[in-house]
Structure formats: C-alpha cells, structure tokens
Amino acid sequence: MNRIKIILVSLCFFHFSFPKDHNFHSEFALEWCYFVGHIKAESGNLYGYELSFFRLKFSDGENWNPEIFPVHFAISDLSTKRHYTAQTIKRKLGDLAGNKENRIYSGEYELEILSKDEFYIKAKPKSNEIALELRLIGNGNLLPHGKDGISIKSKRNPKIFSYYYSYPRLKTKGFLWIQGKKETIDSGDSWMDHEWSEKTSNTIPTLAKGKSGWDWICLMDDKGGDYVFFRFRESPEVSPEIFGTYRDPMGHVTYWKETGEVQMFPIGKTWKSKMTKIEYPLSWKILYPGGEWIVSAVFNEQEFDGSESTKTIYWEGAVKAEDPSQKKSAKGYLELKGYQKSRDWWEF
C-alpha cells in the first residue's frame, strides 16, 4: 500500500488538457487510442466497429528512437454475423505515419481531432473490402479512470499504470462500406478509449508484456450509466485483479478498486476459434455494488488476428448485457487479450 501512495504522490500533479491530450504523446513509449461502437444504417442494418491507433517508441538510450504506428480496423455485421478485419503498420518515414497537432495517421487510416468534443475517423484500406468515414460528437462528459486519470492496473505491482480516460456516448454518423456496398450511418453510439504509459522509452513496456493479459469491457446502459470493468493478469501464473469505473446518469463517478468490490468471471462454455484454435470465454457475469451484469457476445466470430502488425491475437467485439436485479440492459464492447501463447508483441 505504501508503494502505491508513493507513486500516486509523485504523479499527483498530472492533469489532462483537451483537446491537446487527445493526440499522441511523443515523450511516452507506449500508447493507444481507439474507437468502438454500435451503429445503425439508414437501411436498418446494425454494425459494430473497432478502429485502434497504436504508437510504440523504441530507444537505445542514445540516438536510435524509432516510432511505429500500427492500426487495427474491424467491422462486425451484426445482422449477418460476419466479421471483417484489416490492419497496417507504418513507421515515421516519408510521412507515411505520425501525429501532428490535430491529427493521427498511419497509411490509409486517420483520426482528426476537430475539438475537445468532436472527431473525424477514416479507414480506407487498400483491400477495399471494408471502409468507413465517421464523425463523432460528444456531450462534453469525458471519463477519467483512477485518481486524476492515473489508472493503476495492479496493486501487486503499482508500477504498471497508465494515464487513461474514456469518452462514452459519442453520437456517430457517416458512411460505411462493406464488400463494395455503401451504407449511410444515421445513428449510433461510439466509445473512445485513450491510454499512454512508460515514460522511460529504453525499458521494455510492462503494461503490454507478452505474458500479460486482460479482460476489458465497456457498457452503456439504457438508463444513462457508463461502466468500465478491467480484469488484469500480469502473468498466467497469478490470479487476476479486477477494477471498475461507473458514472451514473447524473454524472457522479465511482471507482471500484478494492479487492472483492467487483467480481468478474466467465460463465458457460468457451468458444474456440476455427482459425487460430484459441479458446475465449465470451459469456461473463459481473457483480458490482448494487447490481450485476450478464454479458454475452452478439455473435462469436469477432476475433482479431493482428499477426501482420502487432503480433497479437485477441477477441474484440460487440456485446449485449442484462442486469436482472435492476431491470436494465446495456450494449458495449469486450476485449480479451492474453489467451494467445506467443512472444512479446513488439518482436517483429
């Protein structure tokens, strides 16, 4: 506990500044900013999507400081239950990737930061199988995690932390292309997550070590509440640590950080990917103070094989949830990382 207090004291002067902090932070070694959402087309078709921008900086402590910018992109057709993915990885050479004052880009993927509360995202991979252009507008209510946005992932090892905030309920409109068919997106809710860590770039990042794993879920309920649950495993040999954030419809934020406050465990059978042979638990029960969530995937086949970019294979997809005790429902996204047995993801 004393170690946690010391680290928090040393970081307590950090404060977010928007829209500046929506962009990448060159002084840090590990960072990701991603968008997921449930969206609806004028045709009535329902889709989920993921667009994740990553940034990793290496260093030899002297003159070698290359940065790489992977991107993961996926569309889940919730009507036909089909999942499509694309990815890239570019270096900061020839202006193929990077970040400027109001822009993050890598190859055919781009995030424009239009203001503190407005974003434009574009994904047009060369495969032409899927693409999107979306405009996202928030209500001003960003959601920091942990004290002053400092999110400690492990009480056992408080050095594993990130600066972390979310932006739930981004109203979403634009266009989507799937196998050559253009869809006009007239409504939807997106969720933005942004994390960065590892101030010293000549050390191997601890948050994303090859042995680490996590089960992350964001939920937006039909009463106006927003939830994040995070089940972190520093390695397969240790028991998971579980944390949660809840913002009620009135805007009051609660952080669940004590052992046992939140319980999150898989229920039912696992699903085994035909492509990778990895098994994932896609049904979950979450017990939190005052209620519970029963979470299930909208459909199973929402695995992302990032072997061509970050070398990670994980499951990330649209989910639905029910809280029978409070008679409310929710929609969101679930990410399962660490079920792949492989080398560290930066070993290209």
Side-chain angles (χ1 to χ4, degrees):
M1 183 62 71
N2 288 335
R3 289 198 303 158
I4 294 176
K5 288 181 179 179
I6 291 171
I7 288 175
L8 285 176
V9 167
S10 67
L11 297 172
C12 66
F13 297 109
F14 176 81
H15 295 284
F16 291 120
S17 176
F18 298 108
K20 180 182 178 181
D21 277 326
H22 287 322
N23 210 324
F24 279 161
H25 301 77
S26 60
E27 67 271 30
F28 289 83
L30 179 67
E31 187 162 13
W32 54 76
C33 177
Y34 62 84
F35 299 83
V36 293
H38 289 243
I39 53 179
K40 183 179 180 181
E42 285 183 351
S43 63
N45 292 330
L46 301 176
Y47 298 96
Y49 81 93
E50 168 203 355
L51 183 57
S52 302
F53 296 87
F54 300 92
R55 178 187 153 274
L56 183 68
K57 181 170 71 174
F58 299 86
S59 176
D60 62 1
E62 297 179 359
N63 300 318
W64 191 65
N65 293 282
E67 290 178 283
I68 58 172
F69 295 83
V71 178
H72 290 177
F73 172 41
I75 291 178
S76 297
D77 188 331
L78 305 184
S79 302
T80 64
K81 297 184 179 180
R82 295 193 64 184
H83 187 60
Y84 305 85
T85 66
Q87 59 193 295
T88 194
I89 181 169
K90 303 292 185 185
R91 286 184 58 182
K92 207 171 187 178
L93 295 171
D95 204 33
L96 293 175
N99 61 289
K100 299 179 179 178
E101 184 178 356
N102 297 309
R103 182 171 172 248
I104 295 169
Y105 57 100
S106 182
E108 303 82 31
Y109 305 88
E110 182 177 357
L111 160 62
E112 286 189 38
I113 302 160
L114 303 178
S115 72
K116 168 182 168 288
D117 303 307
E118 192 169 355
F119 309 92
Y120 168 80
I121 56 176
K122 181 174 70 173
K124 291 194 172 182
K126 293 178 180 178
S127 67
N128 293 322
E129 187 177 44
I130 53 173
L132 63 74
E133 293 183 18
L134 297 176
R135 195 178 189 93
L136 307 100
I137 300 176
N139 56 14
N141 297 321
L142 288 90
L143 180 59
H145 297 280
K147 181 176 174 57
D148 297 322
I150 300 165
S151 175
I152 292 180
K153 310 301 184 185
S154 170
K155 287 189 173 184
R156 300 187 191 103
N157 186 357
K159 291 182 180 180
I160 302 177
F161 74 94
S162 67
Y163 300 98
Y164 179 22
Y165 69 91
S166 300
Y167 205 150
R169 300 181 187 270
L170 293 162
K171 296 304 176 186
T172 306
K173 292 185 177 182
F175 302 97
L176 175 152
W177 291 262
I178 187 164
Q179 292 191 314
K181 178 184 177 182
K182 182 178 181 181
E183 291 268 45
T184 299
I185 304 302
D186 61 1
S187 64
D189 288 298
S190 294
W191 182 292
M192 174 191 185
D193 248 31
H194 190 180
E195 295 190 65
W196 60 96
S197 62
E198 312 303 341
K199 185 76 173 181
T200 305
S201 61
N202 60 356
T203 61
I204 297 175
T206 54
L207 179 59
K209 268 189 176 179
K211 289 187 177 182
S212 70
W214 56 74
D215 311 304
W216 171 92
I217 186 169
C218 68
L219 293 173
M220 298 173 281
D221 75 28
D222 57 2
K223 308 293 185 183
D226 301 315
Y227 301 78
V228 172
F229 299 103
F230 189 73
R231 185 174 182 261
F232 179 74
R233 303 175 300 281
E234 187 175 356
S235 72
E237 294 77 31
V238 301
S239 58
E241 299 179 82
I242 305 170
F243 307 91
T245 301
Y246 169 55
R247 182 170 63 194
D248 68 22
M250 302 302 294
H252 179 262
V253 179
T254 301
Y255 300 111
W256 295 310
K257 57 186 178 180
E258 300 302 324
T259 303
E261 272 191 293
V262 175
Q263 298 178 55
M264 180 178 175
F265 49 90
I267 56 176
K269 297 180 179 179
T270 59
W271 170 75
K272 186 174 182 177
S273 167
K274 294 179 181 179
M275 298 297 295
T276 66
K277 312 305 180 185
I278 299 172
E279 293 189 30
Y280 300 94
L282 300 185
S283 297
W284 292 81
K285 186 172 186 176
I286 302 171
L287 301 176
Y288 65 94
E292 66 179 79
W293 287 113
I294 305 299
V295 180
S296 58
V298 177
F299 66 97
N300 293 341
E301 291 82 0
Q302 297 183 80
E303 182 185 45
F304 198 106
D305 185 348
S307 299
E308 297 177 6
S309 54
T310 61
K311 304 300 181 185
T312 49
I313 303 174
Y314 59 97
W315 194 97
E316 181 151 5
V319 296
K320 54 187 177 180
E322 299 289 335
D323 185 334
S325 63
Q326 296 194 23
K327 297 182 179 179
K328 60 184 178 182
S329 61
K331 58 186 177 182
Y333 252 71
L334 170 69
E335 180 180 273
L336 306 173
K337 185 259 183 189
Y339 293 85
Q340 169 198 15
K341 294 179 175 61
S342 69
R343 58 186 180 177
D344 290 335
W345 72 268
W346 52 87
E347 294 180 359
F348 300 104

